[in-house]
């Protein structure tokens, strides 16, 4: 009985260690920081701290951030951004070229934001993108 309890406790500790060590790939962290900076992140209505991005806390599905940035586990230690959803969150600026760093991105939903300029051509590199909604923005150009 003690052995079974020890194995159970050890298993739980291992699971906790695995899930607490999950990280976004460095290129996705860098792209999130670039997105934050190019869209005036300090003025967003849902506030994000850069350290939260760098620590991958942005991907905690129980956090406030999960309403705007959704992540998914792709391996025991790796997370990936799968959704960017911003509606009336006071984004001001441009969508950076590095958007294609989110290789598993499935959904982009930007509405009622002050995004301008053109849609970066790199968006075409997102092979898993199923939903692209760009509504009430000041962007121009073609897709």
């Amino acid at each position: 009985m003690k052995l079974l309890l020890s194995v159970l406790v050890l298993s739980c500790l291992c699971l906790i260690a695995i899930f607490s060590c999950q990280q976004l790939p460095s290129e996705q962290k860098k792209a999130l920081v670039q997105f934050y900076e190019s869209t005036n992140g300090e003025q967003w209505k849902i506030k994000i701290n850069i350290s939260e991005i760098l620590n991958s806390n942005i991907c905690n599905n129980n956090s406030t951030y999960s309403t705007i940035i959704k992540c998914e586990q792709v391996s025991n230690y790796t997370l990936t951004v799968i959704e960017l959803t911003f509606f009336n969150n006071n984004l001001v600026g441009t969508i950076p070229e590095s958007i294609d760093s989110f290789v598993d991105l499935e959904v982009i939903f930007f509405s009622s934001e002050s995004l301008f300029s053109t849609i970066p051509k790199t968006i075409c590199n997102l092979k898993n993108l199923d939903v692209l909604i760009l509504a009430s923005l000041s962007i121009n150009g073609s897709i």
Side-chain angles (χ1 to χ4, degrees):
M1 184 67 164
K2 283 185 178 183
L3 179 60
L4 179 61
L5 184 58
S6 296
V7 169
L8 183 61
V9 168
L10 184 59
S11 297
C12 288
L13 289 174
C14 287
L15 283 174
I16 290 169
I18 287 171
F19 288 111
S20 65
C21 294
Q22 291 177 329
Q23 292 287 316
L24 282 172
S26 59
E27 63 274 4
Q28 288 192 26
K29 287 181 187 181
K30 183 178 176 184
L32 277 173
V33 170
Q34 288 173 345
F35 181 79
Y36 178 88
E37 291 173 346
S38 72
T39 59
N40 199 25
E42 291 181 3
Q43 300 303 316
W44 292 358
K45 290 180 182 176
I46 296 177
K47 301 289 186 194
I48 291 179
N49 185 318
I50 289 290
S51 66
E52 298 288 310
I53 294 172
L54 298 176
N55 294 327
S56 296
N57 292 339
I58 199 87
C59 288
N60 180 345
N61 288 330
N62 296 321
S63 73
T64 305
Y65 313 132
S66 68
T67 60
I68 57 175
I69 299 170
K70 287 192 174 41
C71 300
E72 185 174 83
Q73 181 179 344
V74 290
S75 74
N76 284 343
Y77 303 105
T78 307
L79 298 166
T80 189
V81 175
I82 60 165
E83 186 173 327
L84 297 173
T85 301
F86 290 88
F87 174 76
N88 196 26
N89 196 46
N90 201 34
L91 274 66
V92 177
T94 60
I95 302 169
E97 293 286 327
S98 60
I99 191 106
D100 68 341
S101 296
F102 306 117
V103 294
D104 297 303
L105 195 61
E106 298 170 1
V107 175
I108 295 175
F109 179 88
F110 298 148
S111 180
S112 301
E113 304 292 356
S114 295
L115 296 175
F116 50 86
S117 190
T118 59
I119 299 167
K121 292 183 192 285
T122 56
I123 209 164
C124 296
N125 297 334
L126 298 171
K127 303 299 180 205
N128 294 318
L129 190 64
D130 292 327
V131 177
L132 175 62
I133 298 174
L134 305 170
S136 300
L137 307 174
S138 298
I139 55 178
N140 56 47
S142 58
I143 298 180

